[in-house]
Amino acid sequence: MRVGLEDSLYLGKGQMAENNAQQVAKIRHIVEQLSLEIASPDEAREMLALKGAGKDNIVI
């Protein structure tokens, strides 16, 4: 699940989010209430086959 101001400016109907952290906190609460697990950043990178910060193998 992806959240952030680049995806949506709202926390709910007519309620503007002040920052990404508010959106992350809200979706984390919803996910936990559904008894689902939150992936760590490393787990998410692995699931999505992302290299992560500092692992991009760019040579200049």
Side-chain angles (χ1 to χ4, degrees):
M1 185 171 311
R2 178 181 163 126
V3 296
L5 295 176
E6 62 276 358
D7 298 312
S8 174
L9 297 175
Y10 294 92
L11 278 176
K13 187 174 182 177
Q15 182 183 5
M16 295 282 286
E18 294 178 25
N19 54 53
N20 286 339
Q22 285 182 315
Q23 293 179 326
V24 170
K26 181 174 181 172
I27 198 61
R28 181 180 183 111
H29 175 75
I30 292 168
V31 168
E32 289 173 341
Q33 291 298 306
L34 293 170
S35 298
L36 299 171
E37 292 183 34
I38 305 291
S40 72
D42 286 339
E43 291 169 332
R45 284 186 198 97
E46 185 177 333
M47 286 186 270
L48 299 171
L50 301 175
K51 294 178 183 175
K55 299 179 183 175
D56 52 14
N57 301 323
I58 295 175
V59 177
I60 298 176

